[in-house]
Amino acid sequence: MSKHPLLVRDVLKRKHFESAKLIAGQQGLNRQVLWTHILEIKDFDTLINGGELILTTGVGLQLERETQIAYLENLIRNGAAALCIEIGDYFNYVPAELVAMANAHDFPIIIFEEVVRFIDITQDLHTYIINQHQQALTQLDTISRTFMELSLMPNGILKILQVLHQDTDALFLFVSEDTKSFYYPIEAKKYLHLMEDHCQQLELHEPIQLMSIDKDHFVIIPVNGLGQVWGYLCMRSALPKPSDYTLLNLERATMSIAQILMRNRMLQERQQSREDEFILALIQGEPIDLQYYQSYLPMESRNLFYRVVVFNMLDYANTFSEEDWQEIQLQNVMFVRSIIKKLGFFPTVSVRQHEIIILAFYIAADDMEENRDSFNQAIQQIVARKTPQLFEQITLTFGISNVYQSINSVQQGYKEAKTTIQMQHNELASSIYYKDLGVYRLLLHQDHVALLQYVKDYLQEILLIDQKNGNDLYQTLCVYLACNGAKNDTAEQLFIVRQTLYKRIERLENILGADFLQAPHRLNIEIAVKAYELLKKTAPDILRF
């Protein structure tokens, strides 16, 4: 690695190559020389890594022509930089077939017609390469500090592009969907729309992408923050592939740009106090002046809908200091807001000690107002992109309300989302949607005493028998109902033989009636079962039979 890599053309200018002749591969003089290697054997696949300047006296080339051709093919295939041959006792000329092959692959062949000391060549070139490497490390350290300093200054991204241009003489752009795009120098502007269009199509999993359009070569590196791509640093270069030094330099620049974007987003989130105030007033049912808060709401539309989404984080806040938790929550909000905005939502967000509340507005056709696919996709992306910095060691629980249009329904939507989360915690429901709670939506609004009486009316005798004798009549009833009266399936799920099941069903029929599987008796019993399960989780102290 060096800022100015050693090329074959540079090697030919060194002292020990004054008498050397280039006899093939004139178009390959820009090949980079990473090291030198003396190679006198024909089988060397595992001995070179690529980029070596190969030195040989021709001992391995004395064999038949096919072996000579295979030797050169092997060098080209393994990415050697060039071949230097000492013409003398072991090898007195380079055959025309080898010259033609080298020209076809732009692979330089250099000959020495006088005796040369390979040890002098390797010592000279290795010293140069190592010194260049050390200088590059020093330069990288210096420019990294420069990037860090610029990241704290106004208009830092543009200044970073300017430093990159000064260091490489290439054209640079930074493009992003969320922030202003930048370019430097002015000539780079003509590539702005091209890069914006291209980057919109990208779903980069690789850290670097190389792209060539006619004679223009581009390097595109994603700028990552909070587990997401926030933009792309683009370099237009004359070379198809930049040097390792340039790539390392670009990676350091992207880290500094990410810090600028992170700081700007955190400042924006901290300035959302009125947004937080707005949501808090709505969920508490307080009167509000909508005109005062209009900037936090999308334009009214007949097809504008919203759901209240709540992310619950249990009691993890207690494991952090208040200052650290506020910082964690701030980053969490930035992360969530970015994802749902990209999915077409217009979010209004509030963060509280243990939860994040989102009014997720969206436009949809009347027959598509549920929009579950987008909500499911948002939740999946949030869960999938959890990183050590985001929601660290935190178990998230999600609750999503019904669909509303009137802003006056936010309080109701918040209660629905919270209820959904509570039902998940109680293991009475697995869905994140309030609509999927079924009959629990009715039972939750009932007085506990009234629910207990309902349970007693239908299930008391069964529950008392189980308490007294240790039987499993209640479990049998639940499974039998779930299996829709299928005896084989019921027996399999209960892990009992059919004769035992028949005896239990006969006893249930004696208590509930022979037609307990028929409507409306079955509906009454199933509701009683749901009410009993709900009371076990929410009011176990009153369950006395």
Side-chain angles (χ1 to χ4, degrees):
M1 176 194 68
S2 68
K3 180 176 179 180
H4 303 292
L6 181 66
L7 307 179
V8 175
R9 68 170 67 257
D10 301 320
V11 169
L12 290 171
K13 298 175 184 177
R14 307 293 292 180
K15 173 183 176 182
H16 299 293
F17 285 79
E18 290 176 348
S19 61
K21 292 182 180 179
L22 177 71
I23 64 168
Q26 176 73 32
Q27 300 301 316
L29 294 181
N30 283 330
R31 284 175 173 258
Q32 185 177 356
V33 177
L34 300 176
W35 205 243
T36 64
H37 192 67
I38 300 172
L39 198 62
E40 300 288 14
I41 58 176
K42 63 177 182 177
D43 298 319
F44 53 81
D45 278 359
T46 61
L47 300 180
I48 65 175
N49 297 319
E52 292 90 353
L53 181 74
I54 303 299
L55 305 173
T56 180
T57 60
V59 172
L61 294 175
Q62 295 182 87
L63 306 174
E64 61 276 5
R65 190 61 45 81
E66 290 77 10
T67 302
Q68 295 173 350
I69 291 174
Y71 178 90
L72 184 58
E73 285 178 338
N74 218 1
L75 287 179
I76 295 171
R77 183 173 60 254
N78 283 280
L83 173 63
C84 300
I85 307 173
E86 182 183 279
I87 301 298
D89 296 337
Y90 299 110
F91 196 75
N92 54 18
Y93 78 100
V94 178
E97 291 93 333
L98 297 188
V99 173
M101 181 186 297
N103 283 329
H105 291 86
D106 297 331
F107 182 78
I109 296 180
I110 302 165
I111 62 172
F112 297 102
E113 295 181 327
E114 301 174 1
V115 175
V116 293
R117 283 166 48 93
F118 286 172
I119 185 65
D120 292 337
I121 293 175
T122 57
Q123 185 176 33
D124 173 55
L125 295 181
H126 289 177
T127 300
Y128 178 86
I129 292 169
I130 291 171
N131 287 341
Q132 286 291 95
H133 184 78
Q134 292 297 327
Q135 289 177 19
L137 290 177
T138 301
Q139 290 165 342
L140 278 174
D141 183 59
T142 300
I143 204 166
S144 294
R145 288 199 301 271
T146 301
F147 290 151
M148 291 296 293
E149 292 171 359
L150 294 176
S151 70
L152 300 173
M153 297 175 65
N155 218 7
I157 295 179
L158 182 61
K159 292 174 180 176
I160 288 173
L161 300 186
Q162 185 176 3
V163 171
L164 286 171
H165 171 69
Q166 292 170 351
D167 190 64
T168 63
D169 202 34
L171 306 181
F172 287 90
L173 307 95
F174 171 73
V175 299
S176 171
E177 294 181 6
D178 299 332
T179 62
K180 175 184 175 183
S181 294
F182 297 88
Y183 50 86
Y184 190 89
I186 191 66
E187 291 81 6
K189 184 178 182 179
K190 68 178 182 179
Y191 299 105
L192 182 58
H193 292 309
L194 172 66
M195 288 293 98
E196 287 177 339
D197 292 342
H198 181 74
C199 291
Q200 283 181 358
Q201 310 299 322
L202 288 179
E203 292 184 3
L204 276 185
H205 298 292
E206 306 85 14
I208 297 172
Q209 185 183 81
L210 303 178
M211 181 181 76
S212 296
I213 301 176
D214 297 329
K215 295 182 179 180
D216 294 322
H217 306 289
F218 297 91
V219 182
I220 303 173
I221 303 181
V223 177
N224 297 306
L226 302 179
Q228 292 183 281
V229 175
W230 283 351
Y232 298 89
L233 177 62
C234 309
M235 181 183 81
R236 186 268 181 188
S237 173
L239 299 176
K241 184 178 180 180
S243 67
D244 292 341
Y245 167 85
T246 299
L247 290 177
L248 289 172
N249 210 354
L250 295 179
E251 289 175 4
R252 284 159 172 75
T254 60
M255 288 188 286
S256 294
I257 292 174
Q259 289 176 354
I260 295 173
L261 298 176
M262 168 75 85
R263 186 168 58 254
N264 291 343
R265 290 182 180 220
M266 292 184 75
L267 287 172
Q268 292 171 3
E269 288 296 339
R270 287 195 171 98
Q271 292 169 358
Q272 298 296 328
S273 58
R274 283 178 57 195
E275 185 176 358
D276 192 77
E277 173 187 287
F278 172 57
I279 293 182
L280 189 59
L282 287 172
I283 64 176
Q284 292 178 349
E286 298 176 0
I288 59 170
D289 181 358
L290 282 179
Q291 289 187 344
Y292 180 71
Y293 295 108
Q294 193 59 51
S295 60
Y296 302 112
L297 297 172
M299 294 294 292
E300 289 186 12
S301 167
R302 190 181 68 82
N303 296 113
L304 179 67
F305 303 92
Y306 75 91
R307 290 181 188 262
V308 180
V309 182
V310 176
F311 296 0
N312 184 269
M313 282 151 275
L314 299 176
D315 295 323
Y316 287 96
N318 298 330
T319 63
F320 300 90
S321 69
E322 183 176 350
E323 184 178 347
D324 287 345
W325 182 248
Q326 288 178 354
E327 196 72 14
I328 290 170
Q329 282 288 66
L330 192 64
Q331 294 186 16
N332 291 341
V333 171
M334 291 166 54
F335 171 69
V336 170
R337 189 192 295 271
S338 178
I339 284 181
I340 62 178
K341 283 179 68 175
K342 287 185 177 180
L343 289 172
F345 292 103
F346 310 101
T348 301
V349 185
S350 172
V351 58
R352 305 176 76 184
Q353 183 72 353
H354 299 289
E355 64 186 10
I356 298 172
I357 307 166
I358 303 171
L359 306 187
F361 294 91
Y362 56 94
I363 303 291
D366 291 337
D367 59 340
M368 299 291 289
E369 65 180 47
E370 289 285 320
N371 200 20
R372 284 206 181 193
D373 288 344
S374 295
F375 280 97
N376 290 339
Q377 193 175 352
I379 299 301
Q380 289 169 6
Q381 289 189 22
I382 290 167
V383 172
R385 296 188 186 182
K386 285 167 66 173
T387 69
Q389 292 77 33
L390 296 165
F391 302 114
E392 183 178 11
Q393 299 178 342
I394 293 175
T395 301
L396 287 174
T397 312
F398 307 91
I400 301 179
S401 75
N402 282 327
V403 178
Y404 292 102
Q405 284 192 292
S406 171
I407 200 68
N408 296 323
S409 301
V410 168
Q411 184 180 35
Q412 177 64 26
Y414 175 70
K415 290 178 181 178
E416 292 172 356
K418 292 285 287 182
T419 297
T420 307
I421 290 172
Q422 190 58 50
M423 295 297 283
Q424 293 173 59
H425 289 171
N426 290 335
E427 299 180 344
L428 294 174
S430 58
S431 175
I432 61 177
Y433 293 95
Y434 178 77
K435 189 174 182 178
D436 294 341
L437 296 185
V439 72
Y440 285 125
R441 292 167 57 182
L442 299 176
L443 298 178
L444 285 163
H445 294 291
Q446 303 304 312
D447 177 73
H448 286 168
V449 175
L451 281 182
L452 179 60
Q453 186 58 52
Y454 190 87
V455 171
K456 286 181 177 180
D457 290 344
Y458 292 95
L459 300 177
Q460 178 166 268
E461 187 174 350
I462 294 172
L463 295 170
L464 285 174
I465 291 173
D466 282 355
Q467 289 177 10
K468 183 178 179 180
N469 302 323
N471 293 337
D472 296 309
L473 278 182
Y474 175 73
Q475 183 187 16
T476 301
L477 173 64
C478 293
V479 176
Y480 193 47
L481 290 170
C483 292
N484 201 27
K487 294 182 175 62
N488 283 338
D489 294 342
T490 304
E492 288 180 5
Q493 289 195 29
L494 290 171
F495 300 103
I496 59 176
V497 297
R498 294 189 62 176
Q499 286 75 10
T500 301
L501 175 64
Y502 293 156
K503 290 180 180 179
R504 293 185 185 178
I505 292 175
E506 182 179 355
R507 195 160 191 184
L508 287 172
E509 288 176 343
N510 290 334
I511 297 170
L512 300 173
D515 60 347
F516 77 88
L517 281 184
Q518 305 301 315
H521 305 299
R522 174 174 176 169
L523 176 61
N524 295 333
I525 294 168
E526 287 183 326
I527 293 176
V529 168
K530 295 293 186 182
Y532 178 61
E533 295 298 326
L534 180 63
L535 288 174
K536 281 200 300 183
K537 296 292 186 178
T538 59
D541 294 340
I542 72 169
L543 290 176
R544 297 184 183 89
F545 300 97

